[in-house]
Amino acid sequence: MSEKADSSVYQFVVYDPPAPGLPWLTVCLSPSGEVIEAEAWTSFEEAQRMTEKAAQLVAESVDDELHGRFALRRARSQH
């Protein structure tokens, strides 16, 4: 599920089972390529759905943090 590689974003990837009988794997990679979290799933659909949810939560968290920084800078500039 990862898009074009970008060193400033988290990557969310769904890996096919490496062999019959093994699970689908979802992996979250930090901007530096470190594995943040990995989890096994019984189906592609389940893995894809959970990966999309995780990516959305991270995006919302980043938006909240950026909004908080902007509000803090704005408050400081008004003093």
Side-chain angles (χ1 to χ4, degrees):
M1 176 172 171
S2 69
E3 296 179 6
K4 186 177 177 182
D6 183 337
S7 62
S8 65
V9 297
Y10 287 83
Q11 299 292 312
F12 297 86
V13 185
V14 176
Y15 288 102
D16 295 348
L22 294 177
W24 292 84
L25 298 176
T26 58
V27 179
C28 174
L29 300 166
S30 73
S32 67
E34 177 185 354
V35 173
I36 301 297
E37 188 167 337
E39 195 161 345
W41 303 95
T42 58
S43 71
F44 171 78
E45 293 78 14
E46 187 178 33
Q48 184 70 25
R49 185 174 56 253
M50 297 310 292
T51 299
E52 289 171 359
K53 284 182 181 181
Q56 182 179 3
L57 288 172
V58 168
E60 289 171 0
S61 175
V62 168
D63 286 345
D64 288 347
E65 183 177 335
L66 291 175
H67 179 71
R69 288 183 192 170
F70 176 74
L72 182 59
R73 273 188 266 150
R74 189 170 182 193
R76 286 180 182 162
S77 69
Q78 291 177 351
H79 285 134

